[in-house]
Amino acid sequence: MSAVSKQAPLVEVEDLTVRFTGRDLDIRVVNGVSFTLDRGSSMCVLGESGSGKSVTLRALMRLFPPTATLDGRIRVDGVDVLALGENQLRQIRGGLISMIFQEPMTALDPVFTIGQQIAETLVYHEGISFRAAHARALSLLELVQVPSAKRRLEAYPHELSGGLRQRAMIALALACKPKLLLADEPTTALDATVQIQILLLLRELQHELGMATIFVTHDLGVACEVADKIAVMYAGKFVEAGSAEQIIGAPRHPYTQGLMNSTIHADMRGVKLDPIPGAPPDLTDLPPGCPFAPRCSVAREPCLGLQPELVALEGGQKARCLQYGAAPSFAHAPLLQAS
Amino acid sequence: MFVYALRRILYTIPIAIGVSLVCFALIHLAPGDPLSSVIPEGASAEMIAQIRTAYGFDRPLPVQYLKWLGHVVTGDFGTSIMTRRPVLAEVLPAVLNTLTLASAAVLFGFALGCLFGVISGYVAGTPTDRSVAAFSITGVSIPHYWLGMVLIVIFAVNLNVLPATGMGEGGSGSFGFNWDSLQYLILPALTLSVIPAGIIARAVRGTVAEVRKQDFMQTLYAKGLPGRRVFVHVVKNALPAVLAVMGLQLAQLLGGSILVETVFAWPGTGFLLNNAIFTRDLPMLQGTILVLAMFFVLINLLVDILQTAVDPRIKRA
Ligand SMILES: Nc1ncnc2c1ncn2[C@@H]1O[C@H](COP(=O)(O)OP(=O)(O)OP(=O)(O)O)[C@@H](O)[C@H]1O
Ligand SMILES: [Mg+2]
């Protein structure tokens, strides 16, 4: 692990695929995702429901039922995650990589106190006594700014508000000083003012502790608030990736553009919202061409047959769309729909 | 917690009074004259009236009840018509015998039920799960007196390795923790344990599978906890629901089984009840039922308090 130079990215994912197979189940949820993430930086994964954001995130710690098959390459801090055995995997989970979930309501065990739940992680990862772990849990709760932390340590999850519960969840995730924090819609279940507090807290902690963070969200506002990089996911692939300014300011993929147009901003009163027509494709039965083509307003004939590659554009921005590809015939093909 | 326990204990007083009322009423609700087995045939009307007065049946009902209750709380349950011995002297050893049998059955049944329930809860939906389900359904549906007879035929008659009936040479008096005594316990306890094992296996399986589907299981795995620690979480979450089912089964077993105790001639409360019914020994019947009913009330109380102790979500203080 230590052989890795400080300059190498913390996370390197190459051509990741995740597939669930079972008795009457065969679904390819992630279909070739590649990205890198530097130490201490943050990335946001955007996309519609069902596009595979959570599954991509879980793949980083292989948090799946046995029905999942993973392929490709995942290296986190020099560790080949896909090659790990059960025991090593347990050390990674909650140690090197930890995760915050969407529903603070249900993500904590209802019959154990907050203190017990934080402490047991420390006991198993660091081999310290339960009492020492309990003391550490207290300082963690203080770190995430839980008021009267001492009392909250003895509280059960149902005795805390949603915001406090999510803070407790964050404290739990930070317990073993992870280098990579995964946050799956950490604020979606919270009300607006609490959302902002939690986001600010996460950003502050990230800088303070030097963690890399991967956020998943539907919320563009959240994305530009917390992310250095943004990746936009559609049907199990990244369709666009770039810096936060690039994606928000100048989206290049038609899907990202549609996503921007269908989002409500504060200064948009009176502006007509323009939602993307149609619904995401069925992952069990993907079309042969670009999966977005049936909903795309600028799709042309070749889009239905050719799978676009992720093309590098100026400034390091990347988009997976034939209009940026090399196919010369593309520009001459007629638009599929007049709009 | 303490306050709740205290209040819950106070609640049992009206319940106990209700139970005693029902037991008292039993004599008057039972078809036929309660004194029919005491009054000699061809007795004169005068003699019958005398007997009625002797047993206090000429007084108004509330007075009769209070008098009876007064006796009961001081431990006087009356005299058995058949044996002419105090009812309590008959009931207590029987209760002890049933307790012995029930404890053995509980040990067998709960251990088996929990084991199979946890296994199939962990592999819910697989062939293993389905075969456990088939087993437990069979266990619940087999008539246990029939199973008892089959076991007697196999182990006592054909293989001749275990005694068929009774509690051994010295009866319940000399029953001890040794093979000579315990061998008598095996077959009836096994027979009695089958139904609770099946019921508990199903309850545990359902609860465990349900708990394992909860969101927080993800968090536990994401924290990197080993399987045995995750199991502790599963157990603590499943415990309240499982305890409730166990309490009911325990109460049922402590009540004794008329059929199984009769098949194995086990001198417990079931056996006693059976005899009392057939000989119309009303004081005996009344005393036995009262003791058993009080057991039910007590077990319910214990389960309730235990549940509150293990589940922080139940706030009852
Ligand atoms: N364990 C699983 N078995 C089978 N299919 C699964 C499993 N987990 C996820 N999926 C499928 O993978 C697809 C993508 O799921 P995922 O949770 O990654 O979506 P998402 O982008 O996070 O959506 P959302 O915004 O709603 O959270 C869904 O169609 C889902 O049904
Ligand atoms: Mg999701």
Side-chain angles (χ1 to χ4, degrees):
Chain A
M1 275 189 219
S2 48
V4 184
S5 83
K6 279 273 173 270
Q7 270 63 45
L10 179 72
V11 184
E12 291 167 273
V13 174
E14 238 171 78
D15 204 23
L16 173 70
T17 61
V18 182
R19 180 177 173 192
F20 294 99
T21 44
R23 248 148 61 91
D24 28 34
L25 174 80
D26 184 5
I27 176 169
R28 295 159 189 277
V29 176
V30 176
N31 302 302
V33 160
S34 306
F35 66 90
T36 62
L37 185 66
D38 290 330
R39 284 159 201 281
S41 74
S42 65
M43 178 169 102
C44 193
V45 183
L46 275 177
E48 274 170 304
S49 194
S51 54
K53 306 183 297 291
S54 299
V55 172
T56 306
L57 212 59
R58 272 148 206 248
L60 291 170
M61 54 162 78
R62 279 171 52 197
L63 197 58
F64 291 122
T67 49
T69 320
L70 283 84
D71 240 315
R73 216 167 71 97
I74 301 176
R75 294 185 80 80
V76 181
D77 201 25
V79 179
D80 183 352
V81 174
L82 296 190
L84 293 179
E86 277 300 316
N87 281 330
Q88 298 157 304
L89 198 56
R90 270 207 299 277
Q91 285 166 16
I92 298 272
R93 292 176 177 168
L96 175 64
I97 312 173
S98 63
M99 189 149 178
I100 305 171
F101 297 90
Q102 175 174 346
E103 280 287 346
M105 199 76 173
T106 53
L108 292 165
D109 186 334
V111 302
F112 283 76
T113 65
I114 302 293
Q116 287 168 335
Q117 298 190 51
I118 298 177
E120 66 179 348
T121 314
L122 286 161
V123 168
Y124 278 96
H125 281 285
E126 305 192 353
I128 58 178
S129 75
F130 199 84
R131 275 189 55 190
H134 220 251
R136 283 266 296 281
L138 178 64
S139 59
L140 280 161
L141 281 190
E142 281 161 356
L143 177 71
V144 297
Q145 299 158 18
V146 168
S148 28
K150 210 174 181 91
R151 191 159 52 82
R152 261 57 190 254
L153 212 54
E154 309 299 333
Y156 289 93
H158 70 271
E159 296 168 330
L160 302 184
S161 69
L164 280 186
R165 238 175 275 166
Q166 196 60 302
R167 281 175 198 266
M169 189 73 223
I170 295 172
L172 177 62
L174 297 180
C176 301
K177 304 190 178 66
K179 292 184 179 163
L180 176 61
L181 179 68
L182 308 174
D184 193 350
E185 309 196 34
T187 61
T188 311
L190 306 173
D191 61 52
T193 48
V194 182
Q195 278 193 11
I196 294 169
Q197 289 168 5
I198 296 286
L199 282 178
L200 291 179
L201 172 71
L202 277 174
R203 199 168 60 177
E204 196 181 309
L205 288 170
Q206 190 201 343
H207 289 155
E208 211 168 291
L209 307 175
M211 297 178 292
T213 317
I214 304 180
F215 280 92
V216 158
T217 180
H218 308 272
D219 189 333
L220 272 175
V222 171
C224 48
E225 191 65 46
V226 295
D228 303 323
K229 273 180 160 177
I230 292 180
V232 180
M233 197 156 186
Y234 189 80
K237 287 181 174 165
F238 281 4
V239 293
E240 182 159 6
S243 70
E245 300 79 49
Q246 286 168 337
I247 304 289
I248 306 272
R252 305 293 298 271
H253 193 283
Y255 175 65
T256 318
Q257 291 163 351
L259 214 54
M260 302 295 158
N261 289 338
S262 54
T263 306
I264 304 167
H265 303 289
D267 53 352
M268 276 184 55
R269 280 179 80 95
V271 179
K272 193 166 147 276
L273 283 178
D274 192 8
I276 306 170
D282 180 1
L283 289 173
T284 53
D285 183 24
L286 284 174
C290 171
F292 186 60
R295 305 169 71 187
C296 180
S297 59
V298 297
R300 292 163 199 265
E301 185 76 44
C303 296
L304 296 179
L306 283 173
Q307 295 245 11
E309 293 299 316
L310 204 56
V311 178
L313 306 170
E314 61 276 16
Q317 195 169 357
K318 291 177 196 159
R320 193 185 286 277
C321 180
L322 283 183
Q323 58 178 308
Y324 308 117
S329 58
F330 183 83
H332 307 296
L335 279 176
L336 283 176
Q337 59 186 97
S339 60
Chain B
M1 176 64 215
F2 180 71
V3 179
Y4 169 72
L6 208 65
R7 226 173 46 193
R8 184 63 183 77
I9 290 171
L10 286 181
Y11 283 158
T12 54
I13 292 175
I15 297 175
I17 291 177
V19 166
S20 72
L21 267 175
V22 172
C23 279
F24 173 75
L26 213 64
I27 288 208
H28 298 274
L29 291 178
D33 189 336
L35 289 178
S36 62
S37 54
V38 197
I39 296 170
E41 236 162 286
S44 66
E46 190 189 339
M47 195 172 164
I48 293 178
Q50 245 174 18
I51 294 175
R52 295 192 77 83
T53 318
Y55 277 86
F57 278 100
D58 56 338
R59 308 278 202 86
L61 277 180
V63 176
Q64 284 189 36
Y65 169 69
L66 285 179
K67 245 186 106 184
W68 173 77
L69 193 65
H71 285 296
V72 164
V73 292
T74 53
D76 176 9
F77 283 57
T79 309
S80 161
I81 293 172
M82 281 303 124
T83 62
R84 300 274 160 211
R85 287 177 4 118
V87 166
L88 205 60
E90 302 273 350
V91 174
L92 282 187
V95 165
L96 210 64
N97 292 342
T98 290
L99 226 59
T100 311
L101 182 55
S103 318
V106 160
L107 231 59
F108 272 151
F110 286 14
L112 276 182
C114 288
L115 181 69
F116 283 112
V118 165
I119 290 176
S120 53
Y122 258 72
V123 297
T126 62
T128 314
D129 175 30
R130 277 189 288 277
S131 41
V132 171
F135 260 116
S136 55
I137 290 172
T138 318
V140 172
S141 1
I142 287 183
H144 52 6
Y145 59 89
W146 177 82
L147 178 67
M149 291 193 269
V150 169
L151 287 178
I152 289 179
V153 168
I154 295 176
F155 289 98
V157 179
N158 289 348
L159 298 178
N160 198 18
V161 287
L162 289 169
T165 59
M167 277 187 90
E169 301 276 302
S172 57
S174 63
F175 197 85
F177 201 76
N178 52 53
W179 175 244
D180 275 347
S181 300
L182 289 183
Q183 58 177 341
Y184 288 92
L185 191 57
I186 295 178
L187 289 185
L190 201 63
T191 307
L192 264 186
S193 71
V194 170
I195 288 180
I199 290 178
I200 285 172
R202 273 163 50 170
V204 169
R205 183 230 176 251
T207 320
V208 165
E210 195 50 47
V211 169
R212 280 172 42 82
K213 269 192 277 182
Q214 307 272 317
D215 284 355
F216 68 79
M217 292 301 295
Q218 294 264 336
T219 315
L220 298 180
Y221 286 115
K223 290 201 287 194
L225 296 186
R228 57 178 195 280
R229 180 67 193 173
V230 175
F231 183 63
V232 172
H233 283 259
V234 173
V235 169
K236 196 162 179 208
N237 274 276
L239 209 51
V242 172
L243 270 181
V245 179
M246 284 183 168
L248 283 178
Q249 292 305 309
L250 186 64
Q252 205 124 49
L253 283 176
L254 288 183
S257 161
I258 293 188
L259 291 175
V260 172
E261 287 185 2
T262 305
V263 166
F264 288 97
W266 186 267
T269 49
F271 196 60
L272 204 62
L273 272 180
N274 191 29
N275 282 340
I277 291 168
F278 277 110
T279 56
R280 291 193 59 82
D281 192 344
L282 280 174
M284 188 70 132
L285 198 59
Q286 199 180 31
T288 315
I289 290 177
L290 185 63
V291 169
L292 291 183
M294 286 306 163
F295 256 126
F296 259 83
V297 173
L298 199 69
I299 300 278
N300 269 326
L301 172 72
L302 287 181
V303 168
D304 257 19
I305 292 178
L306 218 61
Q307 254 183 323
T308 322
V310 297
D311 191 343
R313 288 166 298 185
I314 309 178
K315 264 228 186 109
R316 286 160 161 175

